[in-house]
Amino acid sequence: MSQKLEKLIDKKGLRLDGRKPEELRQIKIEVGIILNADCSAYIQQAKNKILAGVYGPRELHPKHLARPDRTVLRCRYHMAPFSVQERKSPAPSRRDIELSKVMREALEPSIFLEYYPRTGIDVFVEVLQADGGTRCASITAASLALADAGIPMRDLVVACAAGKIDNTVVLDLMDTEDKKGSADVPVALMPNFNAITLLQMDGILTHEEFEKAVNLALDGCKRIYVMQKEALKAKYESVKEVEE
Amino acid sequence: MPTFFERKQIVTPGDLLAEGTYVAGENTYKEENKIYASKLGLVEYQDKKVNVVALRAFYIPRLGDTVIGTIVDVGFNGWTVDINSPYLAILRASDVLGRPFRPQQNDLSEVLDVGDLVIAKIIAYDRAHDPQLTVGEPGLGKITRGQVAKITPTKIPRVIGRKGSMVSMIKEKTGCHIILGNNGVILITGKNVEDEQLAVMAIYKIEAESHTSGLTDRIAQMIEKKMQKEELKNESET
């Protein structure tokens, strides 16, 4: 696969965008920027730009989907037509549907769904600009929006990917590295319990490499978790400062 | 038995609040002797109890709560009421009319129509059923005049203040009658629209600044200032 292209890691051991193998991309997180949704979050991870909005818990429609014993969590992952270089059809693709499911399953264990039976929570994630690792960034943003909406949760969920390029295990792949590299391992984590809620792999890794990739991704998750918490608190601390 | 935060610090879901023989209070949960936060809010340690005061919440009905709701549907033998909660409430026709009635003869929309506001009390609610309301007590029923303000339900106690200090101050200064719904909806009725609007403004100010100290005094000052301005304006007009 990799014979025709330039090296993904140069002689100094730096990647295409000048990062070290264990370095994350620049991350900016904001909470509560869309006023029409019950709560929202925005995450920018280098070129990734993702918005998440949450509604609920509210009465679920269509009603036959409601469960008598718990809340139904519905997720929608969607890429804007202008989010990638070649226009993407706005209709949900096979990939969009899969990622919606993956996101839901990553977030479900973190929420006390049994508290509000017969209701539904809707999570909408819109990818405005994509550059690899959007499923991880989406989970991170969606979890923040859920927490800010006042939904009872066991823990925040934070996600990060690791992968293999040019025979090196690296953290937080961007689009070109994902496409031209040889493997990608996204991981979602509930940091306070050390519980993994999402683990996928595409590509080929040896046992040792896989273990290394997972550990690297977990380490990345913990670093993003710190930023995630700060963003959540920042929304209310800024209010405090204005008044004082 | 350590605690891990100071009083009134902001915590996020999953934060470890205390370890040992503490009791999990509001918005917290216990797992293997450890108490964690389950909502974004401010921690409170009360003796052995650990509480989190949520910064944002939605209204979950409780028996005996007074709520202010909007009629959203008129049915054959009752109304459906939006009480600002994940669950819609039911108000039965027999409760409102206080007599037997025949759905074929009585047109319920003549009594209460879609869009009408009611003050009601919750008389039945559990996990399996939608909340049921009653208007059969003094002070309850259809709202005919006044203004409505909507705030986050968790901030209602702040609007009431310590032993009702905040709300009685606003009542006294503006001369308005104020009814607080536990669901975060507040009804204000006064002699004129200006007084009502002043009270509404004060309530929104309380909501935005609920986590700061010395709030009662500042709200009182604000109301007095506005009142003086109004008076000056009225004098210059006459």
Side-chain angles (χ1 to χ4, degrees):
Chain A
M1 215 204 281
S2 55
Q3 65 266 49
K4 61 173 188 246
L5 53 103
E6 74 280 24
K7 284 273 197 198
L8 289 169
I9 296 182
D10 68 8
K11 282 175 204 140
K12 287 182 205 154
L14 294 179
R15 295 200 252 161
L16 291 176
D17 54 356
R19 280 187 291 156
K20 292 187 201 98
E22 288 94 33
E23 208 175 321
L24 286 167
R25 284 177 281 187
Q26 270 283 324
I27 295 179
K28 194 182 101 184
I29 307 176
E30 269 178 70
V31 177
I33 53 170
I34 294 172
L35 299 174
N36 285 346
D38 284 347
C39 259
S40 58
Y42 172 71
I43 183 165
Q44 193 173 343
Q45 192 177 19
K47 283 185 208 153
N48 273 337
K49 291 180 179 171
I50 297 167
L51 264 175
V54 168
Y55 291 90
R58 60 180 178 182
E59 214 190 342
L60 189 65
H61 289 288
K63 273 201 163 147
H64 67 86
L65 292 176
R67 315 298 313 177
D69 57 340
R70 63 189 162 93
T71 311
V72 174
L73 178 69
R74 290 190 293 193
C75 291
R76 174 180 180 262
Y77 169 98
H78 183 247
M79 286 177 102
F82 48 78
S83 64
V84 278
Q85 299 216 318
E86 195 86 9
R87 188 192 108 102
K88 185 198 164 290
S89 158
S93 62
R94 190 204 59 80
R95 181 176 169 278
D96 283 355
I97 295 165
E98 181 204 319
L99 290 197
S100 302
K101 174 184 175 286
V102 158
M103 251 182 65
R104 191 188 76 232
E105 287 174 355
L107 293 170
E108 257 177 350
S110 75
I111 305 172
F112 287 102
L113 290 172
E114 63 277 18
Y115 280 16
Y116 308 115
R118 299 177 287 120
T119 59
I121 299 172
D122 288 310
V123 179
F124 298 98
V125 169
E126 196 71 18
V127 178
L128 304 178
Q129 184 168 284
D131 188 33
T134 53
R135 78 188 67 189
C136 292
S138 301
I139 290 168
T140 307
S143 179
L144 264 181
L146 285 167
D148 194 36
I151 291 163
M153 292 164 83
R154 284 185 184 86
D155 201 349
L156 291 170
V157 181
V158 54
C160 185
K164 184 176 144 192
I165 53 171
D166 287 0
N167 273 321
T168 321
V169 176
V170 296
L171 185 65
D172 196 9
L173 302 179
M174 56 177 191
D175 197 40
T176 28
E177 292 174 329
D178 187 17
K179 286 198 175 112
K180 295 176 180 170
S182 42
D184 178 24
V185 183
V187 177
L189 176 76
M190 293 205 283
N192 288 307
F193 298 92
N194 233 358
I196 291 173
T197 62
L198 162 77
L199 180 59
Q200 291 182 304
M201 179 172 96
D202 95 45
I204 297 164
L205 290 175
T206 64
H207 277 282
E208 293 75 39
E209 282 168 339
F210 175 72
E211 212 160 289
K212 201 177 163 196
V214 170
N215 285 327
L216 197 57
L218 288 178
D219 183 54
C221 285
K222 280 167 194 157
R223 275 190 267 165
I224 297 174
Y225 176 59
V226 177
M227 296 182 239
Q228 203 185 15
K229 262 171 86 160
E230 261 168 32
L232 200 49
K233 288 178 185 174
K235 183 186 166 190
Y236 292 94
E237 265 153 13
S238 66
V239 176
K240 248 181 184 171
E241 275 162 29
V242 169
E243 283 153 20
E244 270 160 15
Chain B
M1 292 187 297
T3 54
F4 299 96
F5 284 92
E6 281 170 43
R7 247 187 100 241
K8 293 244 166 174
Q9 245 188 321
I10 298 184
V11 292
T12 56
D15 277 345
L16 181 59
L17 302 178
E19 208 172 338
T21 57
Y22 287 93
V23 180
E26 262 174 68
N27 301 324
T28 58
Y29 66 99
K30 199 170 186 176
E31 228 160 68
E32 289 168 7
N33 249 346
K34 288 174 181 164
I35 291 179
Y36 300 92
S38 68
K39 271 188 193 173
L40 175 71
L42 310 172
V43 245
E44 286 282 358
Y45 295 102
Q46 254 177 19
D47 301 324
K48 289 269 131 193
K49 203 170 179 188
V50 187
N51 284 322
V52 170
V53 181
L55 283 169
R56 251 188 82 115
F58 32 86
Y59 176 65
I60 295 301
R62 264 198 330 213
L63 237 59
D65 274 2
T66 306
V67 295
I68 297 172
T70 318
I71 307 280
V72 289
D73 195 16
V74 184
F76 282 115
N77 39 35
W79 295 267
T80 312
V81 189
D82 176 13
I83 53 165
N84 201 21
S85 149
Y87 303 103
L88 286 174
I90 300 158
L91 180 60
R92 297 237 302 244
S94 53
D95 185 277
V96 177
L97 301 171
R99 59 180 160 80
F101 78 105
R102 291 206 195 125
Q104 299 95 319
Q105 284 164 17
N106 300 76
D107 185 9
L108 288 185
S109 60
E110 276 171 16
V111 185
L112 286 168
D113 205 354
V114 173
D116 282 351
L117 290 165
V118 287
I119 307 175
K121 210 167 219 179
I122 292 172
I123 45 164
Y125 169 67
D126 63 48
R127 280 173 64 87
H129 301 96
D130 281 337
Q132 209 185 102
L133 302 175
T134 180
V135 291
E137 275 174 47
L140 305 181
K142 186 174 167 180
I143 297 170
T144 47
R145 53 189 285 269
Q147 291 191 36
V148 157
K150 241 184 194 179
I151 64 169
T152 310
T154 44
K155 294 193 173 157
I156 287 288
R158 190 69 198 87
V159 176
I160 295 169
R162 198 165 292 142
K163 285 183 188 159
S165 60
M166 182 74 88
V167 73
S168 53
M169 184 274 292
I170 299 174
K171 275 182 188 168
E172 195 184 306
K173 293 247 191 264
T174 60
C176 290
H177 190 60
I178 298 173
I179 296 169
L180 299 149
N182 292 88
N183 60 341
V185 186
I186 301 168
L187 174 71
I188 299 128
T189 39
K191 279 185 224 88
N192 53 48
V193 181
E194 286 79 27
D195 287 352
E196 286 172 357
Q197 251 153 10
L198 200 55
V200 171
M201 250 174 72
I203 285 163
Y204 283 137
K205 196 173 161 72
I206 297 168
E207 187 196 16
E209 302 177 13
S210 63
H211 49 295
T212 57
S213 51
L215 193 55
T216 314
D217 294 336
R218 261 184 296 142
I219 298 288
Q221 271 172 21
M222 187 200 87
I223 294 174
E224 266 164 31
K225 236 183 232 169
K226 295 263 175 192
M227 294 270 246
Q228 273 168 11
K229 258 189 207 165
E230 285 289 321
E231 269 168 39
L232 284 176
K233 223 167 83 186
N234 289 344
E235 273 169 31
S236 61
E237 273 169 16
T238 47

